[in-house]
Amino acid sequence: MNRLKAVLSKVLGIAPDSINDKTSPSNVESWDSFNGLMLASELEKEFNVKFTMEEVVSVKNVRDIKESLKKHGIKLNG
């Protein structure tokens, strides 16, 4: 979970301790469509995965990101 929070924090410019499953574009001002794509790109690099465009556009919050990573075989603690 720390790696995920680090990527989210870097791309969105928010504190890691403010990130939880409900963190989303609706409650983070900097999470716009551009940063959503940047986030997908940085997560792919960090976790060595490749998301489909469907996965990218279906993300509504951090919980969705965790589920997508899980589908790619990535286990997160926390």
Side-chain angles (χ1 to χ4, degrees), residues 4-48:
L4 175 58
K5 284 186 175 185
V7 172
L8 287 159
S9 176
K10 181 177 97 171
V11 173
L12 302 175
I14 58 176
D17 61 352
S18 71
I19 298 168
N20 59 50
D21 281 0
K22 294 180 182 174
T23 301
S24 72
S26 65
N27 57 33
V28 176
E29 191 173 322
S30 60
W31 192 340
D32 55 18
S33 57
F34 177 76
N35 277 339
L37 293 174
M38 289 298 300
L39 191 53
S41 175
E42 291 297 317
L43 289 167
E44 287 177 335
K45 287 182 208 170
E46 176 67 26
F47 293 100
N48 196 29

Side-chain angles (χ1 to χ4, degrees), residues 32-70:
D32 55 18
S33 57
F34 177 76
N35 277 339
L37 293 174
M38 289 298 300
L39 191 53
S41 175
E42 291 297 317
L43 289 167
E44 287 177 335
K45 287 182 208 170
E46 176 67 26
F47 293 100
N48 196 29
V49 297
K50 184 72 176 149
F51 297 118
T52 65
M53 189 51 69
E54 184 179 317
E55 286 175 308
V56 173
V57 299
S58 70
V59 167
K60 304 290 182 243
N61 54 39
V62 171
R63 184 175 181 275
D64 291 346
I65 293 172
K66 289 164 64 176
E67 287 298 317
S68 288
L69 287 169
K70 189 177 177 182

